[in-house]
Amino acid sequence: MPLHSRVYSTEAIVLRRTDFGEADRILTLFTPSYGKVRAIAKGARRTTSRLAGHLEPFTRTQLLLATGRELDIVTQAEARERLDMLRDKLWYATGAWYCVELVDRFLEDADPHPRVYRLFTNTLRLLEDGAAQDEHARSWLALRYFELHLLDELGYRPALHNCAGCDTPLRPEENGYSAELGGALCPTCSRYAQRRISLPALKVLRLLQTTEWEALPRLRLDEGLQDELEAVMQGSLRFHLDRDLKSWSFLKHV
Ligand SMILES: [Zn+2]
């Protein structure tokens, strides 16, 4: 929240909300300029509330907040963009919840990450479009893109061109991969590696890491390659979060 200011206006996406008291809601908001903000929306569960319907998950909303001692207070809310389609399609909705979980776990309160905010909202939109057109492959890729660029923005960019161990340029062959050492490893350093990484998998990750989403070609990846890429990304995320991700295992079973 801004210093010296009692009331501030911001765009936000509701990450989490829990019922509180008779009719209130406690919200975890993600904002572009203030990062994660915890706020209370008083009376928001009453159907007559002016806030009702404007503080749904996956809704981009414009808020007026008053700074409070522990929680900020939502005084006005106006929904700007609803990503409603997501709710009806379980796989896409779970993908969106997975992104929410990553943002919620990786970011501390009041730690602004405007670029992560943009990445996050773009990914929700991609999942929304994917759900509308039932484009599973493209949406799957959008999740890997999100993971890779989230790591990048948080300062955990995996090394994919030079060995994370000895910095020699990686050759077009099977290499190793270690989340702990920060990326791909040459065959010599690979004795420390937790896993192998095939050349096609390495190439896909490089492409995702260095290409703007709009410029990415349509990729057709077979199931084996998808599994490999998921395993590599999960290894990296788990290492940096140091615990398992709940919505991930759910996503695997939808
Ligand atoms: Zn090496």
Side-chain angles (χ1 to χ4, degrees):
M1 74 200 76
L3 287 175
H4 316 302
S5 166
R6 298 288 312 257
V7 175
Y8 64 104
S9 159
T10 181
E11 176 184 313
I13 289 206
V14 178
L15 294 182
R16 301 199 177 276
R17 55 178 205 183
T18 43
D19 292 349
F20 183 74
E22 290 269 299
D24 302 345
R25 279 210 165 105
I26 291 181
L27 309 168
T28 304
L29 304 166
F30 188 25
T31 70
S33 308
Y34 311 112
K36 253 169 47 177
V37 172
R38 305 231 310 139
I40 186 162
K42 290 183 178 163
R45 273 151 58 216
R46 290 198 184 95
T47 47
T48 52
S49 168
R50 283 178 297 109
L51 302 176
H54 294 275
L55 297 167
E56 304 294 313
F58 309 140
T59 299
R60 203 164 60 79
T61 187
Q62 190 64 35
L63 298 177
L64 203 59
L65 291 137
T67 54
R69 236 175 307 167
E70 279 170 34
L71 296 167
D72 290 355
I73 301 150
V74 179
T75 58
Q76 278 177 38
E78 195 191 326
R80 288 287 160 84
E81 184 182 15
R82 290 165 202 270
L83 299 167
D84 286 316
M85 186 71 78
L86 284 171
R87 279 171 225 171
D88 304 330
K89 302 222 177 158
L90 190 55
W91 188 87
Y92 299 91
T94 309
W97 280 115
Y98 171 67
C99 297
V100 164
E101 186 180 4
L102 286 180
V103 162
D104 197 20
R105 294 264 199 104
F106 267 113
L107 302 191
E108 302 291 332
D109 286 354
D111 178 20
H113 276 283
R115 288 165 61 92
V116 173
Y117 183 83
R118 209 157 48 237
L119 176 69
F120 176 69
T121 49
N122 286 343
T123 306
L124 290 189
R125 253 178 234 126
L126 291 172
L127 290 170
E128 167 83 356
D129 293 348
Q133 292 154 30
D134 217 0
E135 282 213 62
H136 188 277
R138 199 70 181 161
S139 301
W140 180 92
L141 202 63
L143 290 176
R144 305 293 83 77
Y145 186 90
F146 177 76
E147 293 167 335
L148 203 51
H149 286 264
L150 180 66
L151 287 175
D152 202 343
E153 293 298 342
L154 297 172
Y156 305 131
R157 183 184 176 95
L160 300 174
H161 290 87
N162 288 44
C163 172
C166 68
D167 203 36
T168 55
L170 295 168
R171 298 223 308 264
E173 58 194 337
E174 185 183 80
N175 288 285
Y177 192 93
S178 163
E180 209 166 347
L181 293 177
L185 296 171
C186 72
T188 311
C189 294
S190 283
R191 58 179 178 274
Y192 308 112
Q194 296 146 328
R195 63 172 72 249
R196 312 278 110 201
I197 184 165
S198 70
L199 188 58
L202 187 60
K203 283 184 169 171
V204 171
L205 290 182
R206 284 173 176 170
L207 195 65
L208 289 175
Q209 191 180 57
T210 56
T211 314
E212 292 289 318
W213 174 263
E214 293 71 22
L216 271 179
R218 298 253 148 200
L219 299 172
R220 288 267 158 250
L221 310 175
D222 66 47
E223 211 171 308
L225 187 50
Q226 288 192 8
D227 288 348
E228 185 183 1
L229 289 163
E230 288 181 9
V232 168
M233 291 314 301
Q234 280 299 299
S236 290
L237 293 164
R238 280 208 187 108
F239 171 73
H240 291 295
L241 279 175
D242 201 25
R243 56 205 149 164
D244 282 350
L245 293 155
K246 267 180 285 171
S247 51
W248 172 262
S249 52
F250 189 59
L251 195 60
K252 290 299 286 175
H253 293 109
V254 180

